[in-house]
Amino acid sequence: MSISHAPPGSPEHDMSAKSSSATSEADTTAPDLVALVPSSTRRARVPRWLRRTTGPVLLLALWQLLSSTGVLGSDVLASPGRIAQVAGDLIGDGSLASAMGISLRRVALGLLLGTLVGTGLALIAGLFRAGEDLVDAPVQMLRTVPFVGLIPLFIIWLGIGEAPKIAIITLGVTFPLYLNVYAGIRGVDSQLIEAGESLGLSRWGLVRHVVLPGALPGALTGLRFSLGVAWLALVFAEQINADAGIGFLMVQARDFLRTDVIVVCLIVYAFLGLLADFIVRSLERLLLQWRPTFTGR
């Protein structure tokens, strides 16, 4: 390694001083960078899906341990092994697939009707002041009434067939969609409306290009809430003199004290709910690519 002997004040001496200063600054900042790297690399080293599944796996292991040691009796809650065996039996004889198909059809029909009603009412109330005066107050009154409490009236009005079941799901879906779409429409920035008017957009043009895109995030959030309520409503709906569906399997299992079948049906409900939520979240990412969001640190 060579040592510079340039006299003070010379260009070589100044360049050497600057180089040593830059080296000392790099040495002081290097420990800070090193301190930041390990945490991020550790997060990158462990896949996120593995971190997200750790909690459920530990809970399942604890459940199996309590069942194996007899702390949790089979008459209280069946073990995970027994539940897996029963699930395989229900899948093998086709009863679970048939029940899932019937339940999915009920939810799909109720969700479609509830989306049409809730979105339509929200558009009327959100876009027109006269519509708000006519629609909002009755909807706010009805949404405070538990839809489960209307089951006796639906049975009297619609009988005990499919109609009351679909009506309960429709009613449960309508209100979350109405509230979120209405709030999304009224939450559009007024400056965007003024900018659209200054560009010569007509009333329909403002609704199409400004109001509806601005209300889309709220509408998709309402759809996620509505899907959750739809599965909750299905649980109650399928216990109204049902002769098929996942709820019917649960009622039969309750009569025979089959906790294993009940847990299988609950897992199916949860799986279908998560699948529907995943579809809506994927739809959000597709339709809201223009909106940057915070994804966490």
Side-chain angles (χ1 to χ4, degrees), residues 100-290:
M100 286 176 60
I102 294 172
S103 297
L104 283 172
R105 185 172 69 247
R106 289 167 178 163
V107 168
L109 188 54
L111 183 65
L112 175 63
L113 295 176
T115 300
L116 293 176
V117 175
T119 304
L121 292 176
L123 290 174
I124 294 173
L127 297 176
F128 308 101
R129 292 183 180 178
E132 180 184 11
D133 296 336
L134 292 175
V135 171
D136 189 61
V139 172
Q140 296 294 344
M141 292 173 60
L142 285 175
R143 78 177 185 87
T144 59
V145 178
F147 62 88
V148 179
L150 297 175
I151 291 178
L153 282 178
F154 286 158
I155 293 176
I156 294 174
W157 294 341
L158 304 174
I160 58 174
E162 290 294 306
K165 301 176 180 60
I166 296 173
I168 292 171
I169 300 171
T170 301
L171 191 64
V173 166
T174 297
F175 298 122
L177 263 175
Y178 170 83
L179 291 174
N180 284 275
V181 175
Y182 173 78
I185 292 173
R186 291 304 176 92
V188 174
D189 193 347
S190 60
Q191 293 181 354
L192 295 177
I193 302 295
E194 295 175 358
E197 292 175 344
S198 65
L199 293 174
L201 291 178
S202 63
R203 183 178 181 85
W204 168 244
L206 286 173
V207 171
R208 180 182 177 184
H209 297 289
V210 179
V211 176
L212 293 183
L216 185 59
L220 292 174
T221 301
L223 183 59
R224 290 182 66 184
F225 278 111
S226 297
L227 281 169
V229 177
W231 293 110
L232 177 64
L234 179 68
V235 175
F236 294 101
E238 289 190 330
Q239 299 186 29
I240 306 174
N241 294 321
D243 56 359
I246 302 175
F248 173 69
L249 291 180
M250 290 183 66
V251 171
Q252 281 190 322
R254 179 197 63 191
D255 294 339
F256 292 98
L257 303 179
R258 292 289 304 275
T259 60
D260 45 7
V261 177
I262 293 175
V263 174
V264 170
C265 294
L266 292 175
I267 292 173
V268 171
Y269 275 130
F271 172 76
L272 293 176
L274 287 175
L275 179 61
D277 187 72
F278 172 76
I279 293 174
V280 177
R281 293 179 68 177
S282 301
L283 191 63
E284 282 183 339
R285 287 192 292 268
L286 178 65
L287 297 178
L288 301 179
Q289 295 179 0
W290 52 269

